[in-house]
Amino acid sequence: MHPEVLLQMHSVGICGSDVHYWQHGRIGDFVVTKPMVLGHEASGRVVKVGSAVKHLEAGDRVAIEPGAPREMDEFFKIGRYNLSPTIFFCATPPDDGNLCRYYKHSADFCYKLPNNVTFEEGALIEPLSVGIHACRRAGVTIGSSVLICGAGPIGLVCLLVAKAMGASHVVITDMLPERLTMAKELGADFQLKVNRGVEPQQLAKSVEDLLGAQPHVTIECSGVESSIQTAIYATRSGGAVALVGVGPQMVTVPLINAALREVDIRGVFRYCNTWPMAIAMLASGKVNVKPLVTHRFPLEQAAQAFETTRQGLGIKVMLKCDPKDQKP
């Protein structure tokens, strides 16, 4: 049994997956068969610690990594524990999430927040981690030119991380102009509005025209078939495409185009080994996630908060779980 801590929850962000489970009761093979607590982008304060816990004490403010492996399998041993088939993960059936007043979690997957990092920033480490893992998998480095497909919360964190990792130019695409406006404010060099029905190859050409050359790396955050096609066509020969967005089980893509041009296609599943780096990035001011939070609701207004996310209003909706402390 892993040593555990009891947390009083403070801030919990709402993710598209939370809304999807609420609306549809399943994502792929993960099916909700009994009542399940939602929420996995979270931070809180330690109330009690298990007897074997050494690194935390009551009163500590922590960010929660929602994926905690249950056993020391081969994936854990090679440092890719996110791929462990038996991993516990908040708000992925049948595991309960942490959108509640009190929640207990594996102590090893709770990370102490420095005083200059807020609870909300702590909660935003979860989506930020997706960006870190995606940029790592894609090979973003100093001087990279990057295409990001989709400017929702995940596209935006990929933008922030790509820039922090040294990307020289970032193009971001979306169908919604207000999202592209936010992307520009967060540091995107070019924004490209996608219109329905435009051919993927045409869109790829537009990206090349904007950059003056094809991007080294593409990070696909929509999961839409046509967008994945665009990602492959747009990427420079010898480059890489990271697939972050999850769409239908089967998609048709120009695989031979990718093969003949040695464009690597890499999957991304959540994240691993990102929390310490994310905390360091936030504490040092290298990355600013604060502008991502556009709406706040007390826990009692959870239904309204979920409806806000469902309608696609704003970027990140934050639920405040501590009635005595509703501050960021």
Side-chain angles (χ1 to χ4, degrees):
M1 192 57 202
H2 302 285
E4 293 174 327
V5 288
L6 178 67
L7 306 172
Q8 178 175 17
M9 300 306 297
H10 186 285
S11 296
V12 182
I14 301 179
C15 171
S17 70
D18 291 318
V19 174
H20 201 88
Y21 281 125
W22 168 49
Q23 291 289 307
H24 305 284
R26 67 180 299 159
I27 295 177
D29 297 334
F30 297 106
V31 184
V32 181
T33 55
K34 62 186 205 317
M36 179 180 80
V37 179
L38 290 168
H40 61 266
E41 308 178 356
S43 61
R45 194 185 297 276
V46 176
V47 183
K48 281 184 180 169
V49 299
S51 55
V53 176
K54 300 278 188 283
H55 69 292
L56 294 171
E57 54 187 49
D60 284 348
R61 300 159 60 253
V62 297
I64 303 166
E65 179 171 2
R70 286 184 166 96
E71 53 190 319
M72 180 80 77
D73 59 14
E74 58 170 314
F75 299 106
F76 195 121
K77 286 174 182 170
I78 61 167
R80 300 181 71 177
Y81 55 83
N82 55 312
L83 303 178
S84 172
T86 58
I87 194 169
F88 168 91
F89 197 91
C90 293
T92 296
D95 302 332
D96 279 327
N98 45 29
L99 181 51
C100 46
R101 300 276 187 220
Y102 291 90
Y103 169 75
K104 97 177 151 43
H105 196 67
S106 169
D108 290 328
F109 291 83
C110 295
Y111 301 82
K112 190 171 175 178
L113 293 170
N115 292 334
N116 67 337
V117 177
T118 67
F119 279 114
E120 285 188 4
E121 289 177 289
L124 288 165
I125 290 173
E126 197 278 343
L128 184 63
S129 287
V130 177
I132 294 171
H133 189 59
C135 287
R136 272 185 192 162
R137 291 276 296 152
V140 176
T141 185
I142 192 157
S144 297
S145 58
V146 180
L147 166 63
I148 297 172
C149 303
I154 295 300
L156 295 175
V157 292
C158 287
L159 160 66
L160 291 173
V161 174
K163 279 294 188 181
M165 285 183 172
S168 54
H169 294 99
V170 178
V171 183
I172 193 160
T173 66
D174 205 281
M175 298 177 77
L176 302 173
E178 60 272 21
R179 284 181 162 186
L180 293 176
T181 302
M182 176 60 106
K184 184 175 186 178
E185 288 166 10
L186 292 174
D189 299 284
F190 305 98
Q191 306 82 40
L192 186 55
K193 186 178 179 307
V194 179
N195 299 312
R196 256 185 222 294
V198 65
E199 286 298 314
Q201 279 164 295
Q202 187 54 51
L203 205 50
K205 178 79 172 72
S206 302
V207 171
E208 184 176 1
D209 292 343
L210 278 175
L211 283 170
Q214 291 176 303
H216 299 105
V217 167
T218 300
I219 302 174
E220 205 300 303
C221 301
S222 75
V224 175
E225 181 175 73
S226 60
S227 187
I228 300 171
Q229 294 169 357
T230 299
I232 291 173
Y233 288 130
T235 306
R236 192 179 305 194
S237 297
V241 176
L243 299 177
V244 184
V246 180
Q249 291 270 333
M250 293 293 250
V251 291
T252 303
V253 297
L255 195 60
I256 306 308
N257 174 288
L260 293 177
R261 299 194 302 111
E262 296 194 3
V263 171
D264 294 349
I265 299 171
R266 300 182 189 152
V268 170
F269 185 64
R270 299 174 182 158
Y271 34 66
C272 57
N273 307 303
T274 55
W275 257 254
M277 176 200 272
I279 290 171
M281 284 161 68
L282 293 172
S284 64
K286 294 284 179 228
V287 167
N288 180 17
V289 291
K290 287 178 180 173
L292 295 173
V293 181
T294 53
H295 295 75
R296 293 178 178 86
F297 294 92
L299 184 58
E300 296 80 359
Q301 292 172 26
Q304 194 183 338
F306 269 77
E307 191 52 40
T308 303
T309 306
R310 189 184 70 80
Q311 291 173 14
L313 305 172
I315 308 270
K316 185 56 68 178
V317 176
M318 205 53 81
L319 278 156
K320 314 301 285 184
C321 302
D322 182 351
K324 294 195 179 71
D325 180 11
Q326 300 274 305
K327 296 191 296 293

